[in-house]
Amino acid sequence: MKRSYLWTGVAYFVAGLLLAVASAAASGKLQSLLAGFAGGGIFGGLATMGRYYYWTRPGRVKRYQEKQEEEEICLKDERNEMLRDKAGRYAYILSLLVLAVSTVLFSVLHALEIGHFYGLIMYQSALLVFLYVAGIWIYRWLKARN
């Protein structure tokens, strides 16, 4: 495993600590946002560093190399590549449809003075998760079909 993986984990951890300090100094709604980013940085960095130390132990190096070779084969497999491309295209088309409908919906809500900015943020977050899951689901569906 590359040493840059370890340094990435250290950078996330340090950024998380800096955000935790900034969160302690801030107040109001910004404090909770910074605390969330701090937690993500700290725990993401710890997980990355833990993965690095796990796979660099002498007894696991060979198994890690086998795992890397298998992943490389799967990534370069033409069938999988074609299915990933197709799944990405379908997810893109689905996102265009969802965004077109949501534009109309939010326009109506705005005209009726029902919508709030917070709802839009939550909607965009949910849409991001939905599109990610949809892309994975479409890929698996195409893979099972072919």
Side-chain angles (χ1 to χ4, degrees), residues 16-31:
L17 290 177
L18 291 174
L19 286 168
V21 170
S23 172
S27 63
K29 291 183 180 182
L30 185 60
Q31 182 181 17

Side-chain angles (χ1 to χ4, degrees), residues 52-77:
Y52 175 81
Y53 286 118
Y54 178 83
W55 287 113
T56 55
R57 296 299 113 213
R60 297 186 184 105
V61 172
K62 185 175 179 173
R63 204 169 85 197
Y64 178 74
Q65 289 172 345
E66 291 170 358
K67 179 182 166 197
Q68 286 295 101
E69 288 173 7
E70 184 179 321
E71 284 180 8
E72 189 70 27
I73 290 170
C74 285
L75 280 176
K76 297 207 186 249
D77 182 32

Side-chain angles (χ1 to χ4, degrees), residues 26-143:
S27 63
K29 291 183 180 182
L30 185 60
Q31 182 181 17
S32 62
L33 188 62
L34 289 173
F37 286 137
I42 290 171
F43 292 113
L46 287 174
T48 302
M49 290 186 290
R51 236 179 274 125
Y52 175 81
Y53 286 118
Y54 178 83
W55 287 113
T56 55
R57 296 299 113 213
R60 297 186 184 105
V61 172
K62 185 175 179 173
R63 204 169 85 197
Y64 178 74
Q65 289 172 345
E66 291 170 358
K67 179 182 166 197
Q68 286 295 101
E69 288 173 7
E70 184 179 321
E71 284 180 8
E72 189 70 27
I73 290 170
C74 285
L75 280 176
K76 297 207 186 249
D77 182 32
E78 291 176 13
R79 179 176 174 269
N80 285 340
E81 201 171 307
M82 184 235 358
L83 292 176
R84 279 193 302 269
D85 290 344
K86 245 185 188 182
R89 184 175 189 286
Y90 290 155
Y92 171 71
I93 291 169
L94 179 63
S95 70
L96 288 178
L97 291 172
V98 169
L99 287 172
V101 169
S102 65
T103 300
V104 172
L105 178 69
F106 278 113
S107 297
V108 169
L109 290 175
H110 179 69
L112 297 174
E113 296 180 2
I114 296 174
H116 298 286
F117 184 68
Y118 181 73
L120 184 60
I121 292 172
M122 294 305 293
Y123 170 76
Q124 287 177 333
S125 301
L127 180 63
L128 180 66
V129 171
F130 169 73
L131 292 176
Y132 178 74
V133 171
I136 292 172
W137 183 82
I138 292 169
Y139 170 73
R140 288 183 181 169
W141 178 71
L142 288 171
K143 193 171 183 177

